[in-house]
Structures are given as C-alpha cells and as structure tokens.
Amino acid sequence: MTSRIPNTICLFDVDGTLTKPRNVVTAEMKQYLATLITRVQLGVVGGSDLVKIQEQLGNDCVSKFDYLFAENGLNAFKAGAPLAQQSFKNFLGEENLKKFLNFVLHYIADLDIPIKRGTFVEFRNGMLNVSPIGRNCSQSEREEFEKYDKQHNIRSTFVNVLKQKFADLGLQYSIGGQISFDVFPIGWDKTYCLQHLPADQYTTIYFFGDKTMVGGNDYEISTHPRITKSFTVTSPEDTERFLKELFP
Ligand code: M1P
C-alpha cells in the first residue's frame, strides 16, 4: 500500500452509509472498499459498540480499515490493533459519578408520575441513560409515558435541573427516544474520533454520512473544520457513486 494518496483518508458512517439502516454490508460494497483501500486510507466511525459494528460490517472489519472507531471513537482501532479506549466512568471519576447518580436516583424517587417500573439508570460505556419510568416498562407503558411526558415535561424539567446542579461537569443531555434521556460528556459525538487522526498526518479528510442535517448524528463531524469535504449520502449505493467520482 505504499502508493496510496498521501495525507488523505475517507471516513464513513455505518448505518445508511456503508449499509442500509440496521443491515449487513453487501458483498459488492465489501469488494469495492477492498479495492479502494489500495489507493486511499479508509476509516469507519459509528455510534454503536464494536459488537454491533461487527454484526453489520463483518467480524473481520477491524482489520479491513486503516481506522475503526466504535462508539464515536471511544473504542478506537488502528490497522487492526487497539489504539485507545475511553469511558464515561473514566471521564467523570468515581466521586463525581457517585454524586451524579445519587442525585438522579433521589430525584426519580421523589417524582410523582403515574407508574414506575425498574432500571431507572442504564450504565453504558460512553454514557448514562436515565429513565424516570424505568427501562423495563412494557411497550404500552412506554407509549403512555411518552404522552404523559409531552404534557408534563418530566424529562426536560429533569434535564434542566441536572444542567444547573452539575454545570461544572462538562456534560450534555439528549432527549432522543420515548422514555429516557442520554447523558454524556460535551463533544463525545463523532468529532471525538478526529483526535486519533494527527493533524500533521491527515490534511485531507473526506467524510461520508447520511445524517448530516442539524440534529442528525453526523452533523457535528460533517461541519468540523478538519473535514475537507463532507458528502451527504442517501444509501450505500450513493456512497459508492460519490467515491467513484472522487477516485475514478
Ligand atoms: O435513539 C434514541 C434513543 O433511543 C432509546 O431511547 P428510549 O428508550 O427512551 O426510547 C435509547 O436507546 C436512547 O439511549 C437513545 O438515545
């Protein structure tokens, strides 16, 4: 691979970019990327964990790209080998984490909502997921909570309290689903992975993603100053079409 284009890398989102959403990569796309990597460096950045990315891109995917960034780069691989690991727990430290969790659990205990179930906090590697009703509610209970929350702003009020109380912790909050919100450090979106691509070695970075609109999970990286050009794609076929124009 000595004759590859210098200082240049193509970075790909997974869902909707290299694969159809929640699908497995096609044999054709795999073959195309295997050819392309002889000409230019390739990397993947996905929000999912490594297991999920391997389900979509194949068990051998870590060795098929120059860089593979699972969980936006919290779990990073270079040339098939582990490069760096980071976690929410390491970021906050045990003391701050305990204070935060204690406050969250007290707040939920004091919340007067129609029903509560179990698993009020799900501890993930890169974030906490907080649910006032509890994650193991049934589907119908989930839908009821969502309606109740729209009327009573349970989650947004909770988030505002946390923002004030823990303003010094550098956290951001996202109310994306029906029954919970996510808590994670500011900047732990897809731009997180760029720290693993040294600026003097990578002067040209092409990014390909389908959710590049404001609020989409590719937005921050697609507008980052280190991205030379961002391609908004509608499918894996669209990604391949752009690549063939870029690297005829
Ligand atoms: O993808 C949006 C959200 O989906 C789930 O939220 P909920 O269970 O509240 O519907 C969670 O996986 C959450 O982390 C995620 O942001």
Side-chain angles (χ1 to χ4, degrees):
M1 298 205 186
T2 47
S3 62
R4 294 197 293 176
I5 302 167
N7 308 113
T8 301
I9 187 165
C10 294
L11 262 187
F12 303 99
D13 159 54
V14 181
D15 254 0
T17 301
L18 289 183
T19 74
K20 284 187 186 159
R22 290 178 288 283
N23 257 262
V24 171
V25 67
T26 63
E28 195 212 327
M29 176 60 96
K30 264 183 127 170
Q31 183 52 52
Y32 177 67
L33 294 174
T35 308
L36 188 63
I37 204 168
T38 63
R39 298 182 55 198
V40 64
Q41 292 196 44
L42 303 181
V44 167
V45 53
S48 307
D49 63 21
L50 180 63
V51 172
K52 186 78 185 34
I53 293 178
Q54 283 174 324
E55 278 168 18
Q56 290 186 270
L57 298 184
N59 283 330
D60 57 353
C61 64
V62 167
S63 60
K64 298 289 178 191
F65 294 91
D66 295 281
Y67 289 88
L68 189 134
F69 301 119
E71 299 175 73
N72 295 343
L74 298 186
N75 192 10
F77 296 84
K78 181 182 179 187
L83 176 65
Q85 267 85 42
Q86 177 57 298
S87 66
F88 186 76
K89 187 180 73 178
N90 280 345
F91 173 86
L92 271 195
E94 291 296 355
E95 210 41 47
N96 281 334
L97 181 57
K98 191 171 70 182
K99 277 188 199 145
F100 189 85
L101 283 172
N102 286 349
F103 184 87
V104 162
L105 293 170
H106 275 294
Y107 185 96
I108 293 175
D110 291 339
L111 257 185
D112 187 13
I113 53 176
I115 62 164
K116 288 184 190 171
R117 294 296 180 256
T119 316
F120 300 99
V121 176
E122 189 171 86
F123 192 81
R124 302 178 184 169
N125 182 54
M127 68 170 74
L128 290 182
N129 176 263
V130 178
S131 173
I133 181 177
R135 293 206 62 76
N136 63 358
C137 59
S138 68
Q139 185 59 32
S140 60
E141 290 162 350
R142 163 182 273 275
E143 279 149 27
E144 281 306 309
F145 177 84
E146 191 182 18
K147 279 189 220 153
Y148 185 85
D149 188 48
K150 278 191 182 131
Q151 289 167 354
H152 300 274
N153 301 315
I154 303 297
R155 287 182 293 173
S156 54
T157 307
F158 195 169
V159 163
N160 285 336
V161 170
L162 292 172
K163 275 184 182 166
Q164 279 198 347
K165 172 93 186 155
F166 296 100
D168 56 325
L169 292 188
L171 298 174
Q172 71 186 85
Y173 301 81
S174 163
I175 303 176
Q178 293 176 294
I179 57 159
S180 64
F181 58 88
D182 297 327
V183 187
F184 49 93
I186 292 167
W188 282 23
D189 48 53
K190 285 188 182 161
T191 61
Y192 183 91
C193 76
L194 296 174
Q195 67 191 274
H196 299 309
L197 300 174
D200 56 335
Q201 286 173 40
Y202 295 96
T203 50
T204 303
I205 305 177
Y206 297 116
F207 176 74
F208 298 78
D210 65 328
K211 299 268 180 359
T212 55
M213 69 298 277
V214 178
N217 65 3
D218 296 325
Y219 175 74
E220 290 85 0
I221 191 166
S222 68
T223 52
H224 192 279
R226 286 205 56 207
I227 300 300
T228 311
K229 183 160 183 184
S230 170
F231 296 85
T232 300
V233 305
T234 54
S235 64
E237 293 73 30
D238 208 27
T239 304
E240 201 172 324
R241 185 176 62 78
F242 276 125
L243 286 167
K244 283 179 176 164
E245 280 172 19
L246 200 54
F247 305 104

